[in-house]
Amino acid sequence: MKDEDGHFGERVAASYDESAADMFEPGVLDPVVGVLADLAGGGRALELGIGTGRIALPLARRGISVHGIELSRAMAARLRAKPGGDAIAVTIGDFATTRVDGTFSVAYLVF
């Protein structure tokens, strides 16, 4: 399940969205995105463990500038391959120690 450097590799990333399909349902996703959009206001949002973009993509569609930290290059590649994913900045690293430039109105970790 993990690749040679200890991070989730392509095998996990390839099936991640399908394995968590219920978490992508509008009834689950919309309330979370709504709360985060309200918290972000006009500012930026930082997602810890951005993964394939389950939260980041709909949040960005609401006009929020999203930046993510992700340990898995394969998961980040899946995010970037989705419509709008190339517009979301992702820093590869451990979210406990990785730093990104700028300030954020909200930082969050979900799921």
Side-chain angles (χ1 to χ4, degrees):
M1 288 181 75
K2 293 184 178 191
D3 68 20
E4 60 278 355
D5 68 355
H7 308 130
F8 293 114
E10 179 54 32
R11 184 169 157 231
V12 172
S15 62
Y16 179 81
D17 289 0
E18 292 78 25
S19 70
D22 57 329
M23 298 304 288
F24 285 79
E25 293 292 325
V28 173
L29 203 52
D30 292 347
V32 174
V33 172
V35 166
L36 291 170
D38 288 346
L39 290 171
R44 297 170 65 211
L46 177 64
E47 183 168 353
L48 308 176
I50 197 167
T52 64
R54 180 177 73 93
I55 301 294
L57 289 167
L59 191 56
R61 284 193 293 271
R62 290 194 184 199
I64 304 300
S65 175
V66 180
H67 188 109
I69 297 175
E70 176 57 48
L71 190 59
S72 169
R73 286 177 171 77
M75 296 284 267
R78 292 283 170 162
L79 162 63
R80 290 183 182 118
K82 293 178 180 179
D86 58 342
I88 296 175
V90 178
T91 301
I92 300 297
D94 177 343
F95 61 69
T97 59
T98 300
R99 302 287 185 250
V100 296
D101 291 334
T103 59
F104 298 89
S105 296
V106 63
Y108 61 95
L109 170 64
V110 295
F111 194 38

